[in-house]
Amino acid sequence: MALPLEALLDTLSARIIAAAEELTALDSAIGDADHGLNMKRGFEAVLAEKPAILAKPPGEALKTVGMTLVMKVGGASGPLYGTLFMTLGKELPDDPAPADAARALAAAVAVVKARGKSDVGCKTMLDVLGPLADHLASGAASFASVRALAAERAQATVPMKATRGRASFLGERSIGHMDPGARSSQLMIETVCDVLEGRL
């Protein structure tokens, strides 16, 4: 299925920008209180570059989104989300089948793990993206199951103690708060599902 890139960029950007206050509130509890603002700035930059991005083949377009996020999003989120998009751009064919998406996400998660020196269970975006990659690889994924898994795994970061990133400095005080990166990952996953399923 050909990727509806313009719809993905428009909807993803709009939802992340709209969620800036929520993400910043989550980050104020266990981080630098800048995740929402940083992500908003990054996706505003993506929108500003949209004509140039859409002029490229799908893989190069995703790589350009990744590079834009690396350059415009501060903190750890820029390099990590940028790495995610750049790896997806490298791995996805122009007309990806579900198996291609599963393989590409698994590759992207592996690179994000290496870049962030982190893993599932550390209270980060990987607590959503890692289980999602496994679920897609199972071949049993549906839009409904993907949405449910993303919500479940983001919520599962609440009782976790952070062991990576700024939140890890808080130790036990990081328990009881949703990880902002897990929440922004959930938002992205739900948006991709909505666009691909036509539920906008």
Side-chain angles (χ1 to χ4, degrees), residues 74-125:
S77 299
L80 295 177
Y81 274 121
T83 294
L84 179 75
F85 278 92
M86 285 189 286
T87 308
L88 289 174
K90 177 183 175 184
E91 297 290 336
L92 279 172
D94 288 349
D95 295 300
D100 296 316
R103 179 187 51 75
L105 183 60
V109 166
V111 177
V112 171
K113 285 180 180 181
R115 177 120 196 211
K117 298 180 174 61
S118 188
D119 207 336
V120 176
C122 294
K123 197 178 178 103
T124 71
M125 60 195 280

Side-chain angles (χ1 to χ4, degrees), residues 9 12-14 16-17 38-48 65 69 73 85 188:
L9 290 181
L12 192 55
S13 299
I16 292 294
I17 290 167
N38 284 343
M39 294 294 285
K40 178 175 182 281
R41 183 169 61 244
F43 278 94
E44 285 174 342
V46 168
L47 285 179
V65 170
L69 296 179
V73 179
F85 278 92
M188 289 187 187

